[in-house]
Amino acid sequence: MRVYLAGPEVFLADRDDIAAAKKAICAEHGMVGVFPTDPAPQVPPAETNWMQIYLGNEAHIHGCDALIANLTPFRGASADPGTAYELGFMRALGRPVLGYSNAAGNFTTRSLGLLRGAVHRRASGAWEDADGMEVEDFGLTDNLMLDGGIAASGGVLVVNPIAEAARWRDLNAFTRCVAHLAAMKR
């Protein structure tokens, strides 16, 4: 089984070390991990580097049987938008998606914390931001579409709150996702 390893670790200086560690965990469970920066399958040439990366990542996803996404909040209250896209893309292909987060709190708590008091309660009790937009309040790890897509595919979303300094390199929650995926395929 080939597993696409989605997440913002691609932006780390030591991303190759993280990729190797994740691939080793996958191999221990009889799977092949595919990291976004791996050489892409044959894709048509693109005029720009960013489009070539996009085409390569979609080709990787098409060539994989499942996806595990690092949904640790990235530059805000929610997951990396590229990772969210990849998770939705794989879900649309009807394949299993799993996720993990190394952050404490839920999406609502993190969102309210970033708004820093620029919120108030509507008469209905819902939170509203300064733009008059309701703040999603389902007590979920992330946006309901991410949590829902994982649940609907039979996957798991593992939350492992750890110190912020280790959030991009701690692979305990990732390892639990890999073990769950291995059990799903038996």
Side-chain angles (χ1 to χ4, degrees):
M1 166 182 282
R2 293 172 52 83
V3 182
Y4 187 75
L5 309 175
E9 296 91 341
V10 297
F11 301 113
L12 292 170
D14 62 344
R15 68 180 173 215
D16 294 338
D17 295 336
I18 301 296
K22 285 185 163 189
K23 288 177 182 185
I25 293 166
C26 288
E28 289 171 12
H29 290 84
M31 297 178 229
V32 175
V34 177
F35 201 70
T37 58
D38 287 349
Q42 189 63 32
V43 294
E47 291 184 22
T48 61
N49 183 48
W50 64 265
M51 182 55 109
Q52 197 68 47
I53 293 168
Y54 164 80
L55 292 171
N57 288 348
E58 278 203 352
H60 279 316
I61 292 167
H62 275 290
C64 287
D65 306 295
L67 176 145
I68 298 175
N70 181 350
L71 300 176
T72 302
F74 179 70
R75 299 180 182 153
S78 188
D80 164 51
T83 301
Y85 174 88
E86 292 169 331
L87 186 150
F89 189 91
M90 183 65 89
R91 175 72 184 121
L93 294 173
R95 299 174 191 162
V97 292
L98 300 88
Y100 69 96
S101 175
N102 287 332
N106 62 42
F107 183 53
T108 305
T109 303
R110 290 190 306 269
S111 296
L112 293 171
L114 289 173
L115 295 170
R116 292 185 178 82
V119 296
H120 68 276
R121 291 272 192 182
R122 293 179 177 171
S124 67
W127 288 104
E128 182 177 282
D129 68 16
D131 292 324
M133 304 288 273
E134 185 174 326
V135 177
E136 184 179 307
D137 191 5
F138 296 104
L140 299 172
T141 302
D142 210 299
N143 178 277
L144 70 93
M145 295 302 289
L146 300 179
D147 285 49
I150 290 169
S153 81
V156 293
L157 204 165
V158 177
V159 178
N160 179 41
I162 59 170
E164 195 169 312
R167 70 178 169 194
W168 301 116
R169 291 172 178 83
D170 185 291
L171 297 178
N172 288 312
F174 171 79
T175 302
R176 289 171 49 197
C177 286
V178 172
H180 184 84
L181 183 58
M184 284 174 65
K185 291 301 171 183
R186 283 189 206 140

